[in-house]
Amino acid sequence: MASIETITGKLGARQGYIARLGAWAIEANLALGDMGVFFLSTLYWIFRWPGRRAISETFAQMYEMGTKSIPVVMIGGGFIGAVLAVETLPQFQEIGLASRVGSIIVISVVKQVGPILTAVMLAGRLGGAMTAELGTMRVTEQIDALRVMGADPVRTLVVPRVLACVIMTPILTLYSDAIGILGGWLVAVRVEGVRNYPFWHYAAQSTDLFTVNVGLIKAFFFGVVISTVACYKGFRCGNGAQGVGKACTEAFVTGFCLILLSNFILALGLNNLYNALYPNQPSVL
Amino acid sequence: MAENLNATSTPAPALIRFKDVHKRFGPQVVLNGVTMAFTEGQTTVVLGPSGTGKSVLLKHIVGLLQPDVGGVFYRDTRIDHLNDRGMEPIRKKIGFLFQLSALFDSMTVGDNVAFPLREHSKLSKTDIRDRVAERLAMVGMENSEKKMPGELSGGQRKRVALARAIALNPELVLYDEPTTGLDPIRSDVINELILKLHEELKVSAIVVTHDMTSAFKVGDRLVMLMGGSIIADGTADELRSHSDPRVQRFIAGRADEEDLRALHRI
């Protein structure tokens, strides 16, 4: 029979777990609320007009985030398109529908792979850089210096980055889509000998403006997620090099999870919208 | 309890007042009921060992931190309840020299010094350029507008940060450890600069430091903070002859017996 001490010990240990779980839940809630306030403050400054200097900084950030990201996005997109062709073509050939491979490549790239892949690449490339830059500014008291000089750090630092990321993510997604389709075409038509006309014919047949817009709408929201999370983690990073490193890792992991979560929610929402707009069409979202 | 050696002198207008300010970070009590006034026109040095809340005290003045209990006043205005927008007019009157200089890495020296002017003044581009050149010359950094902060030494960064802190002609300049990390000669250059600015611009100053040479050189009044409370307050001579052994140990830079015993136990 268990002694009183063992039972109290077990209860104590359980209470410890429950207390830790409770503490974690409270902390998670506070962090979520804090991130919400940070996001609302960013929105406030965007709609209140952040000032000429913030806008000119936005263009500088667009160049930094957009133009300089084109190579990595193109390489990623191109290879994914090519791999899609390599993996799907044998299945289509087996059932004698090799000429229709273009449709599956285009649907996959435009709706899912393009936006998600671009977002993940940008979360790694831009998110990490933004968190590291803002985190270092926080650690070296530059963000405090802005506040002391009466310049709101959200207006000065966050608004240009969020605006630039939100504008550039859909544009980079278009690049990624185009190069992904080209990569698929290269493998299917140039290497595997699928005829050119049916490839493009079925590709065009399976895609409409709504499909392209789905990818762009997703990319827009991914841009919001990447930039807000990265800036927030930079602003709230711990002290020293370790604090900055930890913030960068957290920014990528949180950003990645939120990209997947928002992709799922957007797919559901856009699917319903598609059904409402085109009731007689089968949903392919 | 604090020994206020200035109690009998003629009262001068208080620029900043702390009224029973308490501040803690988690379990650590940093300020424990601080009540004091910083007089206008004076350079007050706040002394104390590392981690006793000197920088925390400064950050309360510019609203970077708020007290858990108590109040902070700028002249007669209570400022500890104000948000960033409410603090803006107060912050324009205060220059802050950060411990790590806090120059914006992505901007040139000129842009750093021009930043508060572009943010708050209606000066033309030419006037801003002239003011920047004048402030840089004042701190001995003339013709360095085009340089990036990364190209400067620690002492030069402090001087540029000081030029930025005084760009808007503040009433009060706060110095957070202005000589930390500098060799004795560079430290003396900064001390001379503090004296020069006090003389030329007639600004009030609060200097937080644990460098006794600097404190004795620049301070009209010295306040010692220990364990979150003020343990001494007076002129340099008054502090030198203070009866509290903790004050004497700090001035002489001597570890106490408990620290030494802990060291020998290792």
Short mmCIF file of all heavy atoms in Angstrom, two decimals, chain A residues 109-172:
data_model
loop_
_atom_site.label_atom_id
_atom_site.label_comp_id
_atom_site.label_asym_id
_atom_site.label_seq_id
_atom_site.Cartn_x
_atom_site.Cartn_y
_atom_site.Cartn_z
N VAL A 109 1.98 24.51 -58.73
CA VAL A 109 2.89 25.64 -58.54
C VAL A 109 2.12 26.91 -58.18
O VAL A 109 2.46 27.59 -57.21
CB VAL A 109 3.74 25.87 -59.82
CG1 VAL A 109 4.43 27.21 -59.78
CG2 VAL A 109 4.78 24.77 -59.95
N VAL A 110 1.06 27.23 -58.92
CA VAL A 110 0.38 28.51 -58.72
C VAL A 110 -0.39 28.56 -57.40
O VAL A 110 -0.38 29.58 -56.71
CB VAL A 110 -0.55 28.81 -59.93
CG1 VAL A 110 -1.41 30.03 -59.66
CG2 VAL A 110 0.28 29.01 -61.18
N LYS A 111 -1.03 27.45 -57.05
CA LYS A 111 -1.90 27.50 -55.87
C LYS A 111 -1.14 27.20 -54.58
O LYS A 111 -1.45 27.77 -53.55
CB LYS A 111 -3.03 26.49 -56.02
CG LYS A 111 -4.11 26.98 -56.93
CD LYS A 111 -5.17 25.93 -57.04
CE LYS A 111 -6.13 26.29 -58.15
NZ LYS A 111 -6.85 25.11 -58.61
N GLN A 112 -0.27 26.24 -54.60
CA GLN A 112 0.33 25.80 -53.34
C GLN A 112 1.83 26.02 -53.26
O GLN A 112 2.32 26.78 -52.42
CB GLN A 112 0.03 24.29 -53.12
CG GLN A 112 -1.42 23.99 -52.83
CD GLN A 112 -1.91 24.60 -51.52
OE1 GLN A 112 -1.13 24.90 -50.64
NE2 GLN A 112 -3.21 24.81 -51.43
N VAL A 113 2.56 25.35 -54.15
CA VAL A 113 4.02 25.31 -54.01
C VAL A 113 4.63 26.70 -54.14
O VAL A 113 5.49 27.08 -53.33
CB VAL A 113 4.63 24.33 -55.02
CG1 VAL A 113 6.14 24.24 -54.82
CG2 VAL A 113 4.01 22.96 -54.89
N GLY A 114 4.17 27.46 -55.12
CA GLY A 114 4.76 28.79 -55.36
C GLY A 114 4.66 29.69 -54.14
O GLY A 114 5.67 30.12 -53.58
N PRO A 115 3.40 29.96 -53.66
CA PRO A 115 3.28 30.85 -52.49
C PRO A 115 3.97 30.31 -51.24
O PRO A 115 4.68 31.04 -50.56
CB PRO A 115 1.76 30.94 -52.26
CG PRO A 115 1.15 30.52 -53.53
CD PRO A 115 2.09 29.60 -54.22
N ILE A 116 3.77 29.01 -50.97
CA ILE A 116 4.34 28.44 -49.73
C ILE A 116 5.87 28.45 -49.80
O ILE A 116 6.55 28.90 -48.88
CB ILE A 116 3.85 26.98 -49.53
CG1 ILE A 116 2.38 26.98 -49.19
CG2 ILE A 116 4.69 26.27 -48.47
CD1 ILE A 116 2.08 27.06 -47.72
N LEU A 117 6.40 27.97 -50.93
CA LEU A 117 7.86 27.88 -51.06
C LEU A 117 8.49 29.28 -50.98
O LEU A 117 9.48 29.49 -50.28
CB LEU A 117 8.22 27.21 -52.38
CG LEU A 117 9.69 26.94 -52.55
CD1 LEU A 117 10.09 25.71 -51.77
CD2 LEU A 117 10.03 26.74 -54.02
N THR A 118 7.88 30.23 -51.68
CA THR A 118 8.40 31.59 -51.65
C THR A 118 8.36 32.14 -50.22
O THR A 118 9.33 32.73 -49.74
CB THR A 118 7.57 32.52 -52.58
OG1 THR A 118 7.47 31.89 -53.84
CG2 THR A 118 8.20 33.87 -52.74
N ALA A 119 7.22 31.90 -49.56
CA ALA A 119 7.08 32.41 -48.19
C ALA A 119 8.13 31.80 -47.27
O ALA A 119 8.74 32.50 -46.46
CB ALA A 119 5.68 32.12 -47.67
N VAL A 120 8.35 30.48 -47.40
CA VAL A 120 9.33 29.83 -46.52
C VAL A 120 10.74 30.35 -46.81
O VAL A 120 11.53 30.62 -45.90
CB VAL A 120 9.24 28.29 -46.67
CG1 VAL A 120 10.38 27.61 -45.94
CG2 VAL A 120 7.91 27.80 -46.13
N MET A 121 11.03 30.51 -48.11
CA MET A 121 12.36 31.04 -48.47
C MET A 121 12.53 32.46 -47.92
O MET A 121 13.59 32.82 -47.40
CB MET A 121 12.56 31.03 -49.99
CG MET A 121 12.90 29.64 -50.52
SD MET A 121 13.44 29.66 -52.22
CE MET A 121 11.94 30.02 -53.06
N LEU A 122 11.46 33.27 -48.02
CA LEU A 122 11.55 34.64 -47.53
C LEU A 122 11.61 34.69 -46.00
O LEU A 122 12.29 35.53 -45.43
CB LEU A 122 10.38 35.48 -48.04
CG LEU A 122 10.35 35.72 -49.55
CD1 LEU A 122 9.17 36.61 -49.92
CD2 LEU A 122 11.64 36.35 -50.05
N ALA A 123 10.88 33.75 -45.35
CA ALA A 123 10.93 33.70 -43.88
C ALA A 123 12.36 33.44 -43.43
O ALA A 123 12.83 33.99 -42.44
CB ALA A 123 9.99 32.63 -43.35
N GLY A 124 13.05 32.59 -44.19
CA GLY A 124 14.44 32.29 -43.85
C GLY A 124 15.36 33.45 -44.18
O GLY A 124 16.16 33.89 -43.36
N ARG A 125 15.21 33.96 -45.38
CA ARG A 125 16.15 35.00 -45.83
C ARG A 125 15.84 36.37 -45.21
O ARG A 125 16.70 36.99 -44.60
CB ARG A 125 16.11 35.11 -47.36
CG ARG A 125 17.20 36.00 -47.89
CD ARG A 125 17.06 36.32 -49.36
NE ARG A 125 18.08 37.28 -49.73
CZ ARG A 125 17.94 38.59 -49.61
NH1 ARG A 125 16.84 39.08 -49.14
NH2 ARG A 125 18.92 39.41 -49.96
N LEU A 126 14.59 36.82 -45.35
CA LEU A 126 14.26 38.17 -44.87
C LEU A 126 13.94 38.18 -43.38
O LEU A 126 14.37 39.06 -42.66
CB LEU A 126 13.03 38.72 -45.61
CG LEU A 126 13.05 38.73 -47.11
CD1 LEU A 126 11.77 39.33 -47.62
CD2 LEU A 126 14.25 39.50 -47.60
N GLY A 127 13.17 37.17 -42.95
CA GLY A 127 12.76 37.13 -41.54
C GLY A 127 13.98 37.10 -40.64
O GLY A 127 14.08 37.88 -39.69
N GLY A 128 14.93 36.22 -40.97
CA GLY A 128 16.14 36.11 -40.16
C GLY A 128 16.91 37.42 -40.14
O GLY A 128 17.34 37.89 -39.08
N ALA A 129 17.04 38.04 -41.32
CA ALA A 129 17.81 39.30 -41.41
C ALA A 129 17.12 40.41 -40.63
O ALA A 129 17.76 41.18 -39.91
CB ALA A 129 17.97 39.69 -42.87
N MET A 130 15.78 40.48 -40.76
CA MET A 130 15.04 41.54 -40.05
C MET A 130 15.17 41.37 -38.54
O MET A 130 15.43 42.33 -37.81
CB MET A 130 13.55 41.48 -40.43
CG MET A 130 13.19 42.27 -41.64
SD MET A 130 11.39 42.40 -41.78
CE MET A 130 11.03 41.03 -42.85
N THR A 131 14.98 40.13 -38.07
CA THR A 131 15.06 39.88 -36.62
C THR A 131 16.46 40.20 -36.12
O THR A 131 16.62 40.85 -35.07
CB THR A 131 14.70 38.42 -36.30
OG1 THR A 131 13.46 38.12 -36.89
CG2 THR A 131 14.60 38.18 -34.81
N ALA A 132 17.48 39.75 -36.86
CA ALA A 132 18.86 39.98 -36.41
C ALA A 132 19.15 41.48 -36.37
O ALA A 132 19.75 41.98 -35.40
CB ALA A 132 19.83 39.28 -37.34
N GLU A 133 18.71 42.22 -37.40
CA GLU A 133 18.99 43.66 -37.45
C GLU A 133 18.29 44.41 -36.30
O GLU A 133 18.92 45.18 -35.57
CB GLU A 133 18.54 44.22 -38.80
CG GLU A 133 18.97 45.66 -39.00
CD GLU A 133 18.44 46.26 -40.29
OE1 GLU A 133 17.65 45.59 -40.98
OE2 GLU A 133 18.82 47.41 -40.59
N LEU A 134 16.99 44.14 -36.16
CA LEU A 134 16.24 44.85 -35.11
C LEU A 134 16.66 44.39 -33.73
O LEU A 134 16.71 45.19 -32.78
CB LEU A 134 14.73 44.65 -35.31
CG LEU A 134 14.17 45.22 -36.62
CD1 LEU A 134 12.68 44.93 -36.72
CD2 LEU A 134 14.41 46.72 -36.72
N GLY A 135 16.98 43.09 -33.60
CA GLY A 135 17.44 42.56 -32.31
C GLY A 135 18.75 43.22 -31.90
O GLY A 135 18.92 43.63 -30.75
N THR A 136 19.66 43.36 -32.86
CA THR A 136 20.94 44.02 -32.56
C THR A 136 20.69 45.48 -32.19
O THR A 136 21.33 46.01 -31.28
CB THR A 136 21.89 43.93 -33.77
OG1 THR A 136 21.95 42.57 -34.16
CG2 THR A 136 23.27 44.42 -33.45
N MET A 137 19.75 46.11 -32.88
CA MET A 137 19.42 47.51 -32.54
C MET A 137 18.86 47.61 -31.13
O MET A 137 19.14 48.55 -30.40
CB MET A 137 18.40 48.08 -33.54
CG MET A 137 18.98 48.36 -34.89
SD MET A 137 17.80 49.15 -35.99
CE MET A 137 17.87 50.85 -35.43
N ARG A 138 18.09 46.60 -30.74
CA ARG A 138 17.54 46.63 -29.38
C ARG A 138 18.65 46.44 -28.34
O ARG A 138 18.75 47.18 -27.37
CB ARG A 138 16.48 45.54 -29.20
CG ARG A 138 15.55 45.80 -28.04
CD ARG A 138 14.85 44.56 -27.55
NE ARG A 138 15.72 43.73 -26.72
CZ ARG A 138 16.03 43.99 -25.45
NH1 ARG A 138 15.53 45.04 -24.86
NH2 ARG A 138 16.83 43.21 -24.77
N VAL A 139 19.51 45.44 -28.61
CA VAL A 139 20.58 45.12 -27.66
C VAL A 139 21.55 46.29 -27.52
O VAL A 139 22.06 46.56 -26.43
CB VAL A 139 21.31 43.83 -28.13
CG1 VAL A 139 22.57 43.60 -27.32
CG2 VAL A 139 20.39 42.63 -28.00
N THR A 140 21.80 47.01 -28.61
CA THR A 140 22.74 48.14 -28.55
C THR A 140 22.01 49.47 -28.25
O THR A 140 22.55 50.53 -28.51
CB THR A 140 23.54 48.27 -29.86
OG1 THR A 140 22.60 48.37 -30.94
CG2 THR A 140 24.44 47.08 -30.09
N GLU A 141 20.83 49.39 -27.74
CA GLU A 141 20.04 50.53 -27.25
C GLU A 141 19.60 51.50 -28.36
O GLU A 141 19.16 52.61 -28.06
CB GLU A 141 20.81 51.32 -26.17
CG GLU A 141 21.15 50.50 -24.93
CD GLU A 141 21.93 51.30 -23.90
OE1 GLU A 141 22.91 51.96 -24.29
OE2 GLU A 141 21.57 51.25 -22.72
N GLN A 142 19.70 51.08 -29.62
CA GLN A 142 19.31 52.00 -30.71
C GLN A 142 17.80 52.23 -30.72
O GLN A 142 17.33 53.32 -31.07
CB GLN A 142 19.79 51.47 -32.05
CG GLN A 142 21.29 51.48 -32.21
CD GLN A 142 21.76 50.88 -33.51
OE1 GLN A 142 21.31 51.25 -34.58
NE2 GLN A 142 22.67 49.93 -33.43
N ILE A 143 17.04 51.19 -30.34
CA ILE A 143 15.57 51.35 -30.32
C ILE A 143 15.18 52.29 -29.17
O ILE A 143 14.31 53.16 -29.34
CB ILE A 143 14.88 49.97 -30.22
CG1 ILE A 143 15.11 49.22 -31.55
CG2 ILE A 143 13.39 50.10 -29.94
CD1 ILE A 143 14.51 47.86 -31.65
N ASP A 144 15.88 52.14 -28.02
CA ASP A 144 15.64 53.07 -26.91
C ASP A 144 16.00 54.50 -27.34
O ASP A 144 15.30 55.45 -26.98
CB ASP A 144 16.50 52.69 -25.69
CG ASP A 144 15.88 51.55 -24.90
OD1 ASP A 144 14.71 51.23 -25.16
OD2 ASP A 144 16.57 50.98 -24.04
N ALA A 145 17.10 54.62 -28.09
CA ALA A 145 17.53 55.95 -28.55
C ALA A 145 16.44 56.59 -29.42
O ALA A 145 16.18 57.79 -29.30
CB ALA A 145 18.83 55.85 -29.32
N LEU A 146 15.81 55.80 -30.27
CA LEU A 146 14.72 56.34 -31.11
C LEU A 146 13.60 56.87 -30.23
O LEU A 146 13.09 57.98 -30.45
CB LEU A 146 14.16 55.23 -32.01
CG LEU A 146 14.91 54.94 -33.30
CD1 LEU A 146 14.34 53.70 -33.96
CD2 LEU A 146 14.82 56.11 -34.27
N ARG A 147 13.20 56.07 -29.24
CA ARG A 147 12.10 56.51 -28.35
C ARG A 147 12.49 57.77 -27.60
O ARG A 147 11.67 58.69 -27.48
CB ARG A 147 11.76 55.40 -27.36
CG ARG A 147 11.03 54.23 -27.99
CD ARG A 147 10.64 53.22 -26.94
NE ARG A 147 9.65 53.74 -26.00
CZ ARG A 147 9.36 53.16 -24.84
NH1 ARG A 147 9.97 52.06 -24.48
NH2 ARG A 147 8.45 53.69 -24.04
N VAL A 148 13.72 57.81 -27.11
CA VAL A 148 14.16 58.98 -26.34
C VAL A 148 14.16 60.22 -27.23
O VAL A 148 13.90 61.33 -26.77
CB VAL A 148 15.56 58.72 -25.74
CG1 VAL A 148 16.20 59.99 -25.24
CG2 VAL A 148 15.45 57.72 -24.61
N MET A 149 14.45 60.03 -28.53
CA MET A 149 14.45 61.18 -29.43
C MET A 149 13.04 61.47 -29.98
O MET A 149 12.89 62.25 -30.92
CB MET A 149 15.42 60.94 -30.58
CG MET A 149 16.87 61.11 -30.12
SD MET A 149 18.02 61.11 -31.47
CE MET A 149 18.27 59.39 -31.70
N GLY A 150 12.05 60.82 -29.40
CA GLY A 150 10.67 61.11 -29.77
C GLY A 150 10.25 60.55 -31.12
O GLY A 150 9.29 61.02 -31.71
N ALA A 151 11.00 59.54 -31.61
CA ALA A 151 10.62 58.91 -32.89
C ALA A 151 10.07 57.53 -32.57
O ALA A 151 10.79 56.70 -32.02
CB ALA A 151 11.84 58.80 -33.81
N ASP A 152 8.81 57.29 -32.91
CA ASP A 152 8.21 56.00 -32.59
C ASP A 152 8.95 54.90 -33.35
O ASP A 152 9.01 54.92 -34.59
CB ASP A 152 6.74 56.01 -32.98
CG ASP A 152 6.01 54.82 -32.42
OD1 ASP A 152 6.35 53.67 -32.80
OD2 ASP A 152 5.12 55.01 -31.59
N PRO A 153 9.52 53.91 -32.65
CA PRO A 153 10.29 52.86 -33.34
C PRO A 153 9.44 52.03 -34.29
O PRO A 153 9.94 51.55 -35.31
CB PRO A 153 10.83 51.98 -32.21
CG PRO A 153 10.69 52.76 -30.97
CD PRO A 153 9.57 53.74 -31.18
N VAL A 154 8.14 51.87 -33.96
CA VAL A 154 7.28 51.09 -34.87
C VAL A 154 7.12 51.84 -36.19
O VAL A 154 7.25 51.27 -37.28
CB VAL A 154 5.91 50.81 -34.21
CG1 VAL A 154 4.93 50.21 -35.21
CG2 VAL A 154 6.08 49.87 -33.02
N ARG A 155 6.89 53.15 -36.08
CA ARG A 155 6.74 53.96 -37.31
C ARG A 155 8.04 53.98 -38.10
O ARG A 155 8.04 53.83 -39.33
CB ARG A 155 6.35 55.39 -36.93
CG ARG A 155 6.41 56.36 -38.10
CD ARG A 155 5.85 57.72 -37.72
NE ARG A 155 6.59 58.41 -36.69
CZ ARG A 155 7.62 59.22 -36.93
NH1 ARG A 155 8.05 59.42 -38.16
NH2 ARG A 155 8.24 59.81 -35.94
N THR A 156 9.17 54.14 -37.40
CA THR A 156 10.45 54.32 -38.09
C THR A 156 11.02 53.01 -38.63
O THR A 156 11.58 52.99 -39.73
CB THR A 156 11.48 54.94 -37.11
OG1 THR A 156 10.81 55.93 -36.34
CG2 THR A 156 12.65 55.54 -37.81
N LEU A 157 10.88 51.93 -37.86
CA LEU A 157 11.56 50.69 -38.25
C LEU A 157 10.61 49.61 -38.77
O LEU A 157 10.95 48.89 -39.71
CB LEU A 157 12.33 50.12 -37.04
CG LEU A 157 13.41 51.01 -36.44
CD1 LEU A 157 13.94 50.40 -35.15
CD2 LEU A 157 14.56 51.20 -37.42
N VAL A 158 9.45 49.47 -38.13
CA VAL A 158 8.59 48.34 -38.46
C VAL A 158 7.74 48.60 -39.71
O VAL A 158 7.68 47.75 -40.61
CB VAL A 158 7.68 47.98 -37.26
CG1 VAL A 158 6.77 46.81 -37.59
CG2 VAL A 158 8.53 47.64 -36.04
N VAL A 159 7.13 49.79 -39.78
CA VAL A 159 6.23 50.08 -40.90
C VAL A 159 6.92 49.89 -42.27
O VAL A 159 6.39 49.20 -43.14
CB VAL A 159 5.60 51.48 -40.75
CG1 VAL A 159 4.92 51.93 -42.02
CG2 VAL A 159 4.59 51.47 -39.61
N PRO A 160 8.13 50.45 -42.48
CA PRO A 160 8.77 50.25 -43.79
C PRO A 160 9.03 48.78 -44.10
O PRO A 160 8.85 48.35 -45.24
CB PRO A 160 10.10 51.00 -43.66
CG PRO A 160 9.91 51.97 -42.57
CD PRO A 160 8.95 51.34 -41.62
N ARG A 161 9.41 48.01 -43.09
CA ARG A 161 9.71 46.59 -43.33
C ARG A 161 8.44 45.80 -43.64
O ARG A 161 8.42 44.96 -44.54
CB ARG A 161 10.45 46.00 -42.11
CG ARG A 161 11.91 46.41 -42.09
CD ARG A 161 12.57 46.17 -40.75
NE ARG A 161 13.98 46.53 -40.80
CZ ARG A 161 14.45 47.78 -40.73
NH1 ARG A 161 13.62 48.79 -40.63
NH2 ARG A 161 15.75 48.02 -40.78
N VAL A 162 7.37 46.07 -42.88
CA VAL A 162 6.13 45.34 -43.11
C VAL A 162 5.56 45.71 -44.49
O VAL A 162 5.19 44.83 -45.28
CB VAL A 162 5.10 45.65 -41.98
CG1 VAL A 162 3.73 45.10 -42.33
CG2 VAL A 162 5.58 45.04 -40.66
N LEU A 163 5.53 47.00 -44.80
CA LEU A 163 5.01 47.43 -46.11
C LEU A 163 5.80 46.79 -47.25
O LEU A 163 5.23 46.24 -48.20
CB LEU A 163 5.06 48.95 -46.24
CG LEU A 163 3.94 49.75 -45.57
CD1 LEU A 163 4.17 51.25 -45.77
CD2 LEU A 163 2.58 49.36 -46.14
N ALA A 164 7.14 46.85 -47.12
CA ALA A 164 7.99 46.31 -48.19
C ALA A 164 7.76 44.81 -48.35
O ALA A 164 7.63 44.30 -49.47
CB ALA A 164 9.46 46.58 -47.87
N CYS A 165 7.65 44.11 -47.25
CA CYS A 165 7.48 42.65 -47.32
C CYS A 165 6.10 42.29 -47.89
O CYS A 165 5.98 41.36 -48.69
CB CYS A 165 7.66 42.07 -45.91
SG CYS A 165 7.94 40.31 -45.89
N VAL A 166 5.09 43.05 -47.48
CA VAL A 166 3.73 42.77 -47.96
C VAL A 166 3.62 43.05 -49.47
O VAL A 166 2.94 42.34 -50.20
CB VAL A 166 2.71 43.63 -47.16
CG1 VAL A 166 1.37 43.66 -47.84
CG2 VAL A 166 2.59 43.09 -45.74
N ILE A 167 4.32 44.05 -49.95
CA ILE A 167 4.27 44.37 -51.39
C ILE A 167 5.12 43.36 -52.17
O ILE A 167 4.73 42.88 -53.24
CB ILE A 167 4.77 45.81 -51.65
CG1 ILE A 167 3.81 46.82 -51.01
CG2 ILE A 167 4.91 46.09 -53.15
CD1 ILE A 167 4.34 48.25 -50.95
N MET A 168 6.30 43.03 -51.64
CA MET A 168 7.24 42.23 -52.43
C MET A 168 6.93 40.73 -52.43
O MET A 168 7.27 40.04 -53.38
CB MET A 168 8.68 42.45 -51.93
CG MET A 168 9.23 43.84 -52.19
SD MET A 168 8.87 44.54 -53.81
CE MET A 168 9.89 43.57 -54.88
N THR A 169 6.28 40.21 -51.37
CA THR A 169 6.03 38.76 -51.34
C THR A 169 5.14 38.31 -52.51
O THR A 169 5.50 37.34 -53.19
CB THR A 169 5.45 38.33 -49.97
OG1 THR A 169 6.29 38.83 -48.94
CG2 THR A 169 5.37 36.82 -49.84
N PRO A 170 4.02 38.99 -52.81
CA PRO A 170 3.24 38.56 -53.99
C PRO A 170 4.04 38.69 -55.29
O PRO A 170 3.93 37.82 -56.18
CB PRO A 170 2.05 39.52 -53.99
CG PRO A 170 1.91 39.97 -52.59
CD PRO A 170 3.30 40.03 -52.05
N ILE A 171 4.85 39.75 -55.42
CA ILE A 171 5.61 39.92 -56.66
C ILE A 171 6.63 38.78 -56.81
O ILE A 171 6.78 38.18 -57.87
CB ILE A 171 6.31 41.31 -56.67
CG1 ILE A 171 5.23 42.40 -56.72
CG2 ILE A 171 7.27 41.43 -57.85
CD1 ILE A 171 5.76 43.81 -56.59
N LEU A 172 7.30 38.46 -55.71
CA LEU A 172 8.28 37.36 -55.76
C LEU A 172 7.58 36.03 -56.00
O LEU A 172 8.14 35.13 -56.64
CB LEU A 172 9.09 37.32 -54.46
CG LEU A 172 10.09 38.46 -54.30
CD1 LEU A 172 10.63 38.52 -52.88
CD2 LEU A 172 11.25 38.33 -55.29
#
